[in-house]
């Protein structure tokens, strides 16, 4: 994180600056699309996004790492430790863990509902024991904690031009849409983890079950039933993007280019999957670099236009405008942590 971003956010205490820097490094390393989109935000809001994203990465890595030496009990113990650290950090506003320290500060500055973090960790915990979902309703229950709450956490940071409660359902839908795209992209990798995130009833409608998916993954053979089921899942995903889209003009105008860029890139996963013949059981579909660059350039143009309008005073003020953080007390010495990635279209 540049000194400019930290200074603009009013983050001056050295240990807190280091904590936010650690979160930024996680974002840059594992979430290329999130990192790219975040750079389209006003500088003073970027550290908060890195803190939220860094925490999600860290928790997700506990359950999703392919390290076979870590047993389910090891992962459950690690999640318990993180839950206790988070509760203490939110209560006291500080932590010896850099990611929790930055998250606690962000939650306090933007008045983010702590229940969103609790729901997220509950979803992560379910990944330790739940390996499939009988219906789409069951999957939506899981995605409330794993994805919808991420959109709800972001909303206070982004700001809105309508009452926040009006924008919240669309923000939650966008989080779900992003994750559905990742589930489609990662079908093969999730099978390697013993999980199927596509609803069993949707798969069954096309004659597909876990055994057929595993057979296809193991043998490398294609099956038309799987292709048709994946095409139907992609159509479902596109419908959720349509539900999310009306929330975009509800955001603070200077934040819209960031979220629009993320929306275009993530929905582009579905195009990449289709272009690759729905071969996600065998390989990950990737949004081409040229496409990513073009979308980013468009985002920069939109940022410039939005900032010029804001400077002229023609844009409506955001509801619940973000506050500049006050310096926090110096915490005890910190420990480092690292994470892997789930939600990113790169």
């Amino acid at each position: 994180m540049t000194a400019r971003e930290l200074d603009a956010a009013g983050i001056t205490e050295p240990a807190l600056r280091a904590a936010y820097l650690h979160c930024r490094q996680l974002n840059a390393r594992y979430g290329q699309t999130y990192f790219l989109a975040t750079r389209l935000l006003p500088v003073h809001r970027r550290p908060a996004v890195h803190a939220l994203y860094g925490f999600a990465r860290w928790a997700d890595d506990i359950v999703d790492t392919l390290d076979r030496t870590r047993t389910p009990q090891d992962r459950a113990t690690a999640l318990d430790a993180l839950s206790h650290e988070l509760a203490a950090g939110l209560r006291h506003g500080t932590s010896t863990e850099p990611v929790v320290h930055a998250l606690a500060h962000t939650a306090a500055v933007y008045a983010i509902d702590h229940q969103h973090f609790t729901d997220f960790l509950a979803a992560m915990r379910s990944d330790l024991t739940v390996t499939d979902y009988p219906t789409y309703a069951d999957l939506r229950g899981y995605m409330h904690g794993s994805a919808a709450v991420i959109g709800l956490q972001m909303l206070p940071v982004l700001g809105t031009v309508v009452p926040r409660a009006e924008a919240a359902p669309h923000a939650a839908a966008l989080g779900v849409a992003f994750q559905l795209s990742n589930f489609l992209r990662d079908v093969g990798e999730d099978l390697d983890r013993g999980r199927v995130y596509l609803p069993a009833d949707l798969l069954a409608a096309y004659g597909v079950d876990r055994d057929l998916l595993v057979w296809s993954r193991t043998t490398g053979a294609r099956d038309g039933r799987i292709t048709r089921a994946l095409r139907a899942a992609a159509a479902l995903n596109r419908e959720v993007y349509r539900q999310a889209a009306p929330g975009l003009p509800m955001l603070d105008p200077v934040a819209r280019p960031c979220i629009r860029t993320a929306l275009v890139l993530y929905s582009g996963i579905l195009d990449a999957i289709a272009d690759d013949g729905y071969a996600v059981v065998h390989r990950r579909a990737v949004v081409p670099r040229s496409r990513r660059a073009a979308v980013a350039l468009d985002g920069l143009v939109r940022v410039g236009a939005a900032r010029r309008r804001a400077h002229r005073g023609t844009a409506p003020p955001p509801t619940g405008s973000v506050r500049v953080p006050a310096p926090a007390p110096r915490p005890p010495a910190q420990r480092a942590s690292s994470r892997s990635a789930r939600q990113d279209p790169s």
Side-chain angles (χ1 to χ4, degrees):
M1 189 174 303
T2 64
R4 175 169 166 260
E5 291 174 355
L6 293 166
D7 292 343
I11 301 168
T12 59
E13 200 280 321
L16 186 58
R17 287 171 75 94
Y20 275 103
L21 176 60
H22 180 68
C23 292
R24 182 185 186 273
Q25 291 169 340
L26 291 174
N27 196 352
R29 184 184 312 156
Y30 298 119
Q32 297 176 26
T33 297
Y34 279 146
F35 185 73
L36 175 65
T38 299
R39 291 180 65 82
L40 300 177
L41 284 174
V43 290
H44 68 282
R45 304 191 200 183
R46 297 175 195 171
V49 177
H50 292 314
L52 294 171
Y53 186 82
F55 177 76
R57 287 279 175 182
W58 186 21
D60 185 65
D61 187 50
I62 291 174
V63 299
D64 263 359
T65 178
L66 288 174
D67 181 357
R68 302 298 184 184
T69 66
R70 299 189 69 180
T71 67
Q73 184 56 52
D74 291 336
R75 300 179 197 216
T77 299
L79 276 180
D80 286 341
L82 177 56
S83 296
H84 293 148
E85 190 72 35
L86 175 65
L90 292 174
R91 185 166 57 250
H92 301 298
T94 186
S95 174
T96 57
E97 288 287 358
V99 174
V100 175
H101 186 33
L103 181 76
H105 182 255
T106 289
V109 167
Y110 291 96
I112 299 172
D113 188 345
H114 293 181
Q115 187 63 42
H116 296 329
F117 305 117
T118 301
D119 290 348
F120 176 76
L121 287 180
M124 294 301 97
R125 189 176 301 280
S126 74
D127 274 332
L128 298 177
T129 55
V130 179
T131 61
D132 51 38
Y133 294 87
T135 69
Y136 182 56
D138 295 319
L139 183 63
R140 284 298 295 252
Y142 165 77
M143 289 191 295
H144 166 75
S146 64
V149 297
I150 303 297
L152 297 175
Q153 291 169 23
M154 284 283 293
L155 205 52
V157 179
L158 299 172
T160 60
V161 294
V162 299
R164 191 178 299 165
E166 185 178 342
H170 303 290
L174 188 58
V176 169
F178 286 168
Q179 188 163 63
L180 281 172
S181 295
N182 283 330
F183 286 162
L184 274 164
R185 179 200 63 189
D186 296 339
V187 167
E189 295 175 15
D190 287 330
L191 281 170
D192 293 342
R193 298 184 176 99
R195 303 192 198 123
V196 177
Y197 284 109
L198 301 181
D201 58 349
L202 183 150
L203 295 175
Y206 297 89
V208 179
D209 58 16
R210 175 191 286 266
D211 289 342
L212 182 61
L213 292 172
V214 171
W215 169 83
S216 181
R217 175 71 169 174
T218 302
T219 65
R222 301 289 298 273
D223 189 294
R225 292 171 293 178
I226 295 176
T227 300
R228 290 189 288 275
L230 293 173
R231 189 179 289 117
L236 175 63
N237 194 172
R238 291 189 189 279
E239 175 57 32
V240 181
Y241 277 112
R242 283 191 285 271
Q243 295 168 11
L248 193 60
M250 298 180 184
L251 299 176
D252 180 356
V254 297
R256 290 173 198 167
C258 166
I259 302 306
R260 183 185 183 279
T261 296
L263 188 156
V264 171
L265 287 174
Y266 263 87
S267 60
I269 295 176
L270 302 178
D271 298 326
I273 291 171
D275 291 344
D276 196 34
Y278 295 91
V280 289
V281 173
H282 310 293
R283 57 183 176 269
R284 171 185 284 207
V286 178
V287 177
R289 288 182 179 273
S290 59
R291 173 61 174 160
R292 290 160 56 85
V295 173
L297 179 60
D298 178 71
L300 286 172
V301 172
R302 291 172 183 271
V303 165
R307 290 177 183 174
R308 286 192 295 273
R309 288 193 295 270
H311 182 73
R312 293 195 300 265
T314 58
T319 300
S321 299
V322 296
R323 295 175 284 137
V324 175
R330 179 184 295 274
Q334 302 177 54
R335 299 192 302 274
S337 65
S338 63
R339 302 196 63 259
S340 64
R342 176 186 293 182
Q343 287 201 8
D344 187 73
S346 57

